[in-house]
Amino acid sequence: MPEAAAQLFRAISTWRHVAHIKLANLSFPEEHAVDTGSRIAMGTAPLISSLPSLRTLVLGQTVFLPPGVIAAMICPLIPGQEAMNALELVHLVDAYRGSIWGPRIRRSDIERATSTLVRAHCLAEDAEYVETEMILRVRRIVRCEALTERLMGGDRVEGMAILE
């Protein structure tokens, strides 16, 4: 139930003292099929916003996760969003932008989404500096892995692999 994931993350955003979150087997609404007006569903709002105590977020076996929601969470450029300075790790294991038949999300996908976010929210004169700093933050915090191998089709990775 993709709607349940959006509701879950709205609720999590109210947990003021949570430090570690680990969730698996999530399905988000398909971006091209959603007409809810939800910025989370469309991939332009942070997955979790304004949780200053959050240190780690682990998402496993996740489908239809837009890389932009991770970028927006790590790089607080959207007005009204607090920085999550305690965030040390966002660990994505077998996370897919689309269905399991497509490629897994790689850190480079989060970096591209970060660049897009910076260009949309920064003034031209400081955009290059901010983009560099935000991409360095993504590289420090985000870890993408492939763990579960498929018998056929999809993004084939043998053994556990870091996805840059």
Side-chain angles (χ1 to χ4, degrees), residues 64-135:
F64 300 112
L65 176 66
V69 301
I70 302 296
M73 182 181 77
I74 294 171
C75 306
L77 298 173
I78 297 171
Q81 181 186 349
E82 294 176 40
M84 296 199 324
N85 295 328
L87 194 59
E88 298 168 357
L89 175 67
V90 174
H91 190 184
L92 305 177
V93 181
D94 295 329
Y96 296 85
R97 174 189 335 216
S99 77
I100 61 170
W101 299 108
R104 291 174 176 91
I105 294 176
R106 286 153 167 72
R107 191 178 67 206
S108 59
D109 296 327
I110 309 296
E111 291 174 11
R112 274 191 298 280
T114 299
S115 293
T116 301
L117 185 68
V118 169
R119 287 186 207 117
H121 289 91
C122 285
L123 300 173
E125 60 267 7
D126 66 348
E128 187 175 327
Y129 171 77
V130 172
E131 182 176 4
T132 301
E133 291 299 310
M134 293 296 114
I135 289 190

Side-chain angles (χ1 to χ4, degrees), residues 11-162:
I12 287 172
S13 292
T14 66
W15 301 348
R16 291 284 154 233
H17 302 290
V18 66
H20 308 283
I21 298 172
K22 183 176 183 178
L23 299 167
N25 300 311
L26 296 171
S27 177
F28 291 86
E30 293 182 56
E31 289 179 325
H32 64 280
V34 173
D35 190 19
T36 64
S38 167
R39 290 184 342 152
I40 291 175
M42 296 300 185
T44 60
L47 183 62
I48 299 172
S49 62
S50 304
L51 284 182
S53 62
L54 186 64
R55 294 179 54 209
T56 60
L57 173 65
V58 180
L59 298 176
Q61 294 79 38
T62 303
V63 294
F64 300 112
L65 176 66
V69 301
I70 302 296
M73 182 181 77
I74 294 171
C75 306
L77 298 173
I78 297 171
Q81 181 186 349
E82 294 176 40
M84 296 199 324
N85 295 328
L87 194 59
E88 298 168 357
L89 175 67
V90 174
H91 190 184
L92 305 177
V93 181
D94 295 329
Y96 296 85
R97 174 189 335 216
S99 77
I100 61 170
W101 299 108
R104 291 174 176 91
I105 294 176
R106 286 153 167 72
R107 191 178 67 206
S108 59
D109 296 327
I110 309 296
E111 291 174 11
R112 274 191 298 280
T114 299
S115 293
T116 301
L117 185 68
V118 169
R119 287 186 207 117
H121 289 91
C122 285
L123 300 173
E125 60 267 7
D126 66 348
E128 187 175 327
Y129 171 77
V130 172
E131 182 176 4
T132 301
E133 291 299 310
M134 293 296 114
I135 289 190
L136 289 173
R137 179 168 163 81
V138 167
R139 289 180 181 162
R140 273 193 317 270
I141 293 174
V142 175
R143 182 174 177 176
C144 299
E145 288 185 14
L147 181 63
T148 306
E149 181 53 70
R150 26 183 3 90
L151 296 175
M152 57 189 289
D155 190 359
R156 305 278 316 241
V157 178
E158 293 191 25
M160 189 167 80
I162 303 296

